[in-house]
Amino acid sequence: MSVIVLAALAGACAVEGERSADSQPNGEIDEVRIALGTLGNESLDPMLSPGENAPYLWLMFDPLVGVSRDGTEPDPSAGVLSDWEISDDALTITLRVGGEATFHDGAPVTAEDVAFSLERLFDDEALAANVGLVQDVIGDPNNIKVIDEETVELHLVKPGVSLLNILPYGSADMLVVPKHYIEEVGVEEFRRNPIGSGPYKFVEQQVGTSITLERVDEHQALGTPRARKVTISLVPEETTRIALLQTGDVDVIDPGIESAVNLEAEGYNLHQKGLPDWGGIKFPMTPLDVPPLNDVRVREALALAINKEAINEFLFFELGELSGNYISEGAAGYEPLPPIPYDPERAKALLEEAGYPDGFEIALESFPKSGWSTTDIADAIAADWAAIGVTAQISNRDYGAYRADWVGGNLEPVTATLHPISGRYNFQGLLGALVSGGSLPAIGDPEYTELMEAVQSSESVEEFNERLAAVDAFIRNGFHMIPMVQMGTTLVTNDVVQDWAFGRSAHELNIRYFLYEVE
Amino acid sequence: MALLGYLSKRFLLSILAVLVVCFAVFLMGRATGDPTALLLGSDATVTQQERLRSELGLDRPVYEQYGRFVINMVQGDLGTSIRSGRPVTTMINERMPYSIGLAAVAMAIVGFVGIPLGVIAGSHRGSKWDSSARGLALLGQAVPSFVVGIISIQVFAVALGWAPVAGATSLKHYVLPGITLSLFVLAGVVRLIRSSMLEILDAEYIKLARLKGLSERKVIWKHALRNALLPVVSFSGVYFAILVTLAMVVEVVFSWPGVGRLAFDAIHFRDFPVLQGVVIFGVVLVMLINLVVDFLYALIDPRVRAASDTA
């Protein structure tokens, strides 16, 4: 009987496995199915959304400022704002609404909606990624003024060039929500059945499983999307996502680096994000006034001892690029700096000069980053340091536990951390750590403080970028951190998705531009 | 009357167990670190972090937090998810049907496959059936469920195309995760039934049945099995509760939207209210099932009633 039952079960499992999408590039597509390892907290409200929610939110809502098709430049025609400017003293930002955008219920997007969307970021519930920066620079929701149907003025409490920078590259925080709809149905209903002005309308959400969206007939900036439906599924296990791609059940996945390379070898398409993530060493117990890390020669020795090329070759499969910068290529303030070379002999000489001929012990912390084999990278670094006499005690744990100790000052005094950072967090992390009283320990060097204060008081975008580049150079030349590799997030697709520029925002996948890729 | 007293005592002890477990989870969750650090971006200000902690009640003394939690729990309010802002009860209710459905499929496999296999192994000691059953039992208990899950996906879904990879949208999606989930309990049931059968088949009444000319089939499947099933039946309720609440690994591998996945995310993001809610749900489920089993036992087995009368 049990054999019969098994046979019946097997017989019930006719698997379709056929792609529902037309594989012709640039043609109409019935459905694009995307499987990701995380969908953040799955909130449908931009205000409550961390960066990981961006893939679906940026389809449902429009940003204040859109980006070009390859995601590298702001594009006034692709967002809600047609124009924006900052006053000479950088204390007033004027935003002008384009007037073309409409919400999914037909109502036009106006200055009231823009102001309302920004005011919400002052709510106690707000969790969006740039909330801290917005609150710090604008100061009070009353400083957001609607001048007329198309114009909003932001009266800032601090120079706001940094705010200009995140307008096109923010995560969920820079998305525009419908004031009239939220006031009419209430915020809870909005969070269950949201409407936006984006190229896709919300259809259905199965919490913990998937979100389904369908296209609008015509989007004011982007025209008619070529995929009728988009389903974004939450599949936490990487091997399962890969299996779904291999059976044709999904079209897009985000695997780890090694898996991505293997899938490319099998004939799938590998894509990398334009704004790379940063991989390097941080010295978290700042200020760096505890021996031996207080000696720049020691920090330089640790930097020179790491064979970054080998790490990029064997652990990043040459998908990364060696870099001397903390700020990611393509981000504000980026001016290329030469990578720190590999020179273990010079490293040993520096240690001897600094009074550590026999080396010393150091704690090496690492925590998981999706797609990266951080334990292997930590092992490689420890082995390189061992070659110059520095003994690293490796501790691999999850980020939450590590961060609690870091913020609480409970790490070992002599600690290095393998600290991958999403490309978005570069200057914002530096700012948050110091200027806005952020929760991360600041670097603590008076010269660094002065440089960051100069960044914050910048009165023009050019000045802002120049001063940020100076901070980057200070970090690299003083070895306050050790930049190693920059690598864009990898996505793998089947032939439904062939050409795809992921853009620059750390979490947003620029799906809207894949969906409009027509010649 | 004595039976009522017995059950009342069991009920009160169960309540105490729930409170103790909840307190343990409450403390352990908070020992893992501050969830606001993960909720807010790395550029969050200290003021923001303090405000969020205050809003979530995390700035209160631990005993006050726990007291508030217990009072709310008694009223059926398991709190609000720190991460999503949704009521924990709602989140669990959304996921529970999936977990119960999967556990039911797993138990069905245990019943339809494990029991017959155990009977055949016990009644054919030393045969290839016995060896196979014992081998399966060993594998079922030794091989981690995530390994079974991943391999079954690769073999049966990707290579052979016999089953879907993941998801929970149709009946066929229950097959691979159901089989994977069932294996550990199935292994235990096979061994239990087998050893019970070995003992029972040596009993005097079985010898008498054979002497009376009953067919071997009847002796095994009608007389011996009935008694061999007793320990399995008494554990089946607990097995079911375990399958519902401990399917975390299987649910993650197969992307199953059940309570186990909810717990997995809650642990990862330090979402204390959700984690506490899932644990309470599991403990209460086990408690209720145990109470029902105890009640049934007391009804069915006169020895239990006699023992409670004496007590």
Side-chain angles (χ1 to χ4, degrees):
Chain A
M1 176 170 157
S2 49
V3 173
I4 294 170
V5 168
L6 278 176
L9 284 170
C13 290
V15 175
E16 290 143 14
E18 293 293 323
R19 294 207 315 264
S20 64
D22 179 358
S23 60
Q24 292 294 319
N26 306 330
E28 182 100 325
I29 300 172
D30 182 49
E31 183 183 9
V32 170
R33 299 153 304 170
I34 302 170
L36 300 176
T38 177
L39 289 180
N41 63 9
E42 301 178 69
S43 172
L44 300 175
D45 184 348
M47 182 180 102
L48 296 181
S49 298
E52 288 83 358
N53 295 28
Y56 57 88
L57 290 177
W58 274 60
L59 291 176
M60 293 158 52
F61 300 94
D62 278 325
L64 286 173
V65 176
V67 293
S68 56
R69 281 182 186 264
D70 64 1
T72 59
E73 298 293 334
D75 181 355
S77 70
V80 164
L81 299 182
S82 61
D83 187 23
W84 54 92
E85 62 188 27
I86 192 165
S87 61
D88 291 340
D89 60 3
L91 291 176
T92 303
I93 293 178
T94 304
L95 310 173
R96 292 195 185 82
V97 178
E100 306 273 335
T102 54
F103 290 109
H104 298 147
D105 63 355
V109 178
T110 67
E112 290 279 351
D113 301 301
V114 170
F116 178 74
S117 304
L118 290 170
E119 284 161 8
R120 296 179 90 223
L121 299 181
F122 286 84
D123 194 294
D124 285 346
E125 279 188 306
L127 289 178
N130 290 305
V131 161
L133 184 63
V134 168
Q135 290 180 357
D136 185 61
V137 173
I138 299 178
D140 188 287
N142 294 320
N143 292 338
I144 302 169
K145 309 248 186 242
V146 176
I147 305 301
D148 56 43
E149 235 185 53
E150 291 180 354
T151 312
V152 176
E153 269 183 8
L154 309 178
H155 298 270
L156 311 177
V157 297
K158 294 180 181 178
V161 176
S162 56
L163 195 58
L164 272 191
N165 196 271
I166 65 168
L167 283 181
Y169 304 117
S171 293
D173 30 73
M174 295 293 124
L175 298 174
V176 180
V177 299
K179 178 181 180 186
H180 70 284
Y181 180 74
I182 293 175
E183 287 178 343
E184 181 187 320
V185 306
V187 72
E188 290 308 319
E189 179 59 20
F190 168 72
R191 288 170 182 170
R192 281 188 292 268
N193 290 296
I195 68 166
S197 60
Y200 280 82
K201 294 185 283 197
F202 173 75
V203 173
E204 180 190 39
Q205 179 184 39
Q206 292 184 319
V207 178
T209 306
S210 64
I211 292 171
T212 303
L213 309 171
E214 68 178 10
R215 70 180 178 192
V216 300
D217 293 330
E218 182 84 12
H219 183 266
Q220 67 285 347
L222 304 170
T224 304
R226 66 186 177 121
R228 274 189 280 274
K229 199 162 82 163
V230 174
T231 303
I232 304 177
S233 300
L234 173 59
V235 182
E237 172 57 39
E238 181 187 309
T239 55
T240 309
R241 294 199 297 280
I242 293 171
L244 285 167
L245 183 73
Q246 290 171 325
T247 54
D249 291 313
V250 300
D251 306 303
V252 183
I253 63 170
D254 58 340
I257 304 171
E258 186 172 358
S259 300
V261 169
N262 291 337
L263 286 168
E264 191 183 29
E266 287 178 30
Y268 293 95
N269 306 303
L270 190 155
H271 312 264
Q272 271 191 278
K273 197 153 186 52
L275 185 70
D277 299 334
W278 181 86
I281 293 287
K282 274 190 167 185
F283 299 110
M285 296 306 286
T286 53
L288 294 174
D289 54 7
V290 173
L293 293 179
N294 61 338
D295 191 326
V296 66
R297 291 170 296 184
V298 171
R299 300 197 300 271
E300 183 177 0
L302 292 175
L304 290 170
I306 300 173
N307 190 341
K308 305 156 202 68
E309 264 192 45
I311 288 175
N312 188 40
E313 182 183 345
F314 294 108
L315 298 176
F316 288 93
F317 301 87
E318 295 185 334
L319 292 180
E321 286 201 20
L322 300 189
S323 171
N325 292 76
Y326 174 64
I327 290 176
S328 293
E329 183 179 348
Y334 176 77
E335 286 291 336
L337 295 167
I340 299 171
Y342 171 54
D343 192 343
E345 292 308 316
R346 170 96 180 114
K348 278 187 217 168
L350 282 168
L351 281 183
E352 198 164 328
E353 196 181 301
Y356 299 96
D358 299 323
F360 55 90
E361 286 194 4
I362 189 167
L364 178 57
E365 297 270 354
S366 81
F367 45 84
K369 172 174 167 53
S370 176
W372 290 26
S373 51
T374 49
T375 49
D376 292 336
I377 298 171
D379 285 343
I381 292 171
D384 286 341
W385 283 349
I388 63 165
V390 174
T391 307
Q393 303 294 333
I394 300 176
S395 170
N396 294 307
R397 47 180 169 159
D398 92 319
Y399 180 65
Y402 161 77
R403 187 183 161 120
D405 277 345
W406 178 21
V407 173
N410 297 322
L411 297 176
E412 291 294 325
V414 183
T415 295
T417 302
L418 172 61
H419 199 140
I421 297 176
S422 289
R424 179 187 75 79
Y425 281 109
N426 307 134
F427 82 86
Q428 289 155 347
L430 297 176
L431 270 178
L434 175 75
V435 180
S436 42
S439 56
L440 301 177
I443 288 185
D445 187 299
E447 187 182 345
Y448 170 77
T449 303
E450 203 178 305
L451 287 170
M452 283 305 299
E453 284 174 348
V455 168
Q456 209 208 12
S457 61
S458 304
E459 294 183 354
S460 71
V461 171
E462 293 73 27
E463 204 168 68
F464 179 83
N465 287 337
E466 267 170 29
R467 293 178 179 182
L468 208 46
V471 173
D472 205 6
F474 169 84
I475 290 172
R476 185 248 190 252
N477 296 334
F479 304 98
H480 295 279
M481 295 187 230
I482 304 176
M484 296 195 310
V485 173
Q486 293 196 3
M487 204 199 83
T489 304
T490 49
L491 288 179
V492 174
T493 69
N494 58 22
D495 285 342
V496 168
V497 187
Q498 293 187 15
D499 294 311
W500 189 352
F502 283 169
R504 289 178 50 184
S505 177
H507 297 293
E508 200 274 309
L509 299 178
N510 214 24
I511 297 175
R512 32 168 70 205
Y513 283 105
F514 146 68
L515 296 164
Y516 287 93
E517 206 64 31
V518 290
E519 297 298 45
Chain B
M1 198 64 191
L3 178 60
L4 195 60
Y6 167 73
L7 288 174
S8 301
K9 188 178 165 189
R10 296 282 298 153
F11 180 75
L12 287 171
L13 284 173
S14 301
I15 297 289
L16 184 62
V18 169
L19 287 173
V20 169
V21 170
C22 287
F23 186 63
V25 170
F26 178 89
L27 283 183
M28 281 192 290
R30 276 148 183 78
T32 58
D34 185 350
T36 58
L38 296 176
L39 280 174
L40 297 171
S42 61
D43 52 351
T45 64
V46 172
T47 310
Q48 266 187 290
Q49 201 163 17
E50 284 170 357
R51 196 187 325 174
L52 183 60
R53 284 179 57 80
S54 175
E55 192 185 307
L56 298 174
L58 298 176
D59 57 340
R60 299 275 188 272
V62 170
Y63 64 84
E64 193 182 317
Q65 291 181 47
Y66 183 65
R68 188 184 303 182
F69 166 70
V70 170
I71 291 169
N72 289 340
M73 180 181 71
V74 167
Q75 296 171 42
D77 176 9
L78 293 175
T80 305
S81 164
I82 288 175
R83 195 159 154 253
S84 67
R86 303 176 70 225
V88 172
T89 316
T90 303
M91 294 172 78
I92 292 176
N93 286 340
E94 282 170 353
R95 308 283 189 117
M96 198 162 46
Y98 292 99
S99 289
I100 289 177
L102 189 62
V105 168
M107 283 301 288
I109 293 170
V110 169
F112 286 111
V113 176
I115 293 174
L117 207 52
V119 169
I120 293 170
S123 56
H124 295 80
R125 186 178 187 171
S127 69
K128 63 179 180 195
W129 288 105
D130 185 22
S131 305
S132 303
R134 284 187 292 139
L136 176 66
L138 183 65
L139 281 175
Q141 290 187 322
V143 181
S145 53
F146 76 88
V147 173
V148 174
I150 289 171
I151 290 175
S152 66
I153 286 173
Q154 289 301 313
V155 172
F156 296 108
V158 178
L160 296 173
W162 287 358
V165 171
T169 53
S170 68
L171 285 177
K172 61 190 178 189
H173 285 96
Y174 283 80
V175 175
L176 285 185
I179 292 173
T180 305
L181 187 61
S182 72
L183 277 180
F184 185 81
V185 174
L186 184 145
V189 164
V190 166
R191 292 166 69 109
L192 194 57
I193 295 277
R194 178 185 179 272
S195 61
S196 290
M197 287 296 292
L198 289 175
E199 193 181 321
I200 287 163
L201 287 173
D202 264 347
E204 293 299 320
Y205 70 93
I206 294 293
K207 289 175 187 170
L208 178 62
R210 285 184 176 126
L211 282 173
K212 285 170 76 176
L214 291 179
S215 68
E216 193 61 15
R217 180 192 282 266
K218 225 176 203 176
V219 167
I220 292 171
W221 293 97
K222 188 177 175 187
H223 294 284
L225 176 59
R226 196 177 283 182
N227 286 293
L229 275 179
L230 282 177
V232 172
V233 168
S234 63
F235 278 110
S236 60
V238 176
Y239 283 153
F240 183 77
I242 288 172
L243 288 176
V244 171
T245 55
L246 293 186
M248 186 187 301
V249 170
V250 172
E251 289 186 8
V252 169
V253 169
F254 289 95
S255 200
W256 193 263
V259 174
R261 266 262 308 269
L262 192 62
F264 176 79
D265 288 341
I267 292 167
H268 186 64
F269 289 101
R270 310 291 194 282
D271 200 344
F272 305 142
V274 173
L275 187 58
Q276 283 162 190
V278 171
V279 170
I280 291 167
F281 162 72
V283 169
V284 168
L285 185 66
V286 171
M287 177 191 89
L288 285 174
I289 289 174
N290 271 337
L291 278 176
V292 168
V293 169
D294 286 344
F295 177 65
L296 289 174
Y297 249 119
L299 271 183
I300 295 167
D301 192 338
R303 290 170 295 183
V304 174
R305 285 205 298 276
S308 66
D309 282 343
T310 307

